[in-house]
């Protein structure tokens, strides 16, 4: 088999694709996001957007309060029933997230890419988790690595992130 016929994806691409696959489990009616916590090239945990365990999600209810009220992206999270993908992945990773890499990828409901940049609320959780870096798939399909300094800036932005 020729090298062109079988090309292995590099690590970041591999984990970003897994994050996109994980996003397909999301129950949010606005956007589907998936996140993967990786340490030493091994998956520690995954997470997707959805209601807390035991709670009815927006997909089952058939309604999103933020969407119905035309709330702009990054605002009024108190109306949202979902826990963000990053929060779920980091919560399940626990202490293992220290020194790990967090991969984030999202989709609109039409299957196109959504902006992968974490919101200010998730940026604060990322800082608490002590991951070493955050790699996201951007809306235009490019890959972007956020430094911890950039994550700190996002955490301080309070509602100005997608």
């Amino acid at each position: 088999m020729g090298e062109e016929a079988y090309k292995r994806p590099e690590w970041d691409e591999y984990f970003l694709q897994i994050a996109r696959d994980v996003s397909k489990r999301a129950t949010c009616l606005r956007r589907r996001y998936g996140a993967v916590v990786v340490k030493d090239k091994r998956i520690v945990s995954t997470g997707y957007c959805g209601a807390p365990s035991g709670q009815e999600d927006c997909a089952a209810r058939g309604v999103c309060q933020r969407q119905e009220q035309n709330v702009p992206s990054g605002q009024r999270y108190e109306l949202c029933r979902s826990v963000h993908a990053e929060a779920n992945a980091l919560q399940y990773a626990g202490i293992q997230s220290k020194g790990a890499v967090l991969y984030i990828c999202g989709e609109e409901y039409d299957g196109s890419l959504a902006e992968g940049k974490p919101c200010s609320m998730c940026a604060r959780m990322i800082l608490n988790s002590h991951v070493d870096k955050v790699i996201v798939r951007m809306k235009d399909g490019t890959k972007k690595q956020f430094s911890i300094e950039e994550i700190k800036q996002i955490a301080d932005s309070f509602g100005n992130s997608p």
Side-chain angles (χ1 to χ4, degrees), residues 75-136:
Q75 297 178 17
R76 305 283 321 268
Y77 285 120
E78 73 275 8
L79 297 175
C80 184
R81 298 184 66 82
S82 284
V83 176
H84 285 189
E86 304 96 314
N88 275 322
L90 291 168
Q91 175 186 358
Y92 295 127
I95 193 70
Q96 294 180 71
S97 65
K98 186 174 182 176
V101 179
L102 176 64
Y103 291 87
I104 305 167
C105 187
E107 287 186 347
E108 303 289 349
Y109 260 83
D110 65 4
S112 64
L113 289 169
E115 195 65 38
K117 179 181 174 184
C119 70
S120 60
M121 179 178 65
C122 287
R124 291 189 296 275
M125 286 185 227
I126 289 167
L127 292 173
N128 271 351
S129 73
H130 302 283
V131 298
D132 278 352
K133 57 186 165 182
V134 178
I135 299 174
V136 305

Side-chain angles (χ1 to χ4, degrees), residues 26-101:
T27 58
C28 176
L29 295 177
R30 284 176 71 127
R31 287 180 198 89
R32 297 179 296 235
Y33 280 93
V36 180
V37 176
V38 175
K39 192 165 187 176
D40 300 325
K41 297 181 181 163
R42 300 283 182 229
I43 295 173
V44 174
S45 69
T46 64
Y48 54 85
C49 295
S53 296
Q55 300 293 311
E56 189 175 42
D57 59 59
C58 292
R61 294 171 59 122
V63 64
C64 168
Q65 292 297 323
R66 292 178 70 232
Q67 195 167 16
E68 281 203 340
Q69 295 180 31
N70 293 317
V71 175
S73 184
Q75 297 178 17
R76 305 283 321 268
Y77 285 120
E78 73 275 8
L79 297 175
C80 184
R81 298 184 66 82
S82 284
V83 176
H84 285 189
E86 304 96 314
N88 275 322
L90 291 168
Q91 175 186 358
Y92 295 127
I95 193 70
Q96 294 180 71
S97 65
K98 186 174 182 176
V101 179

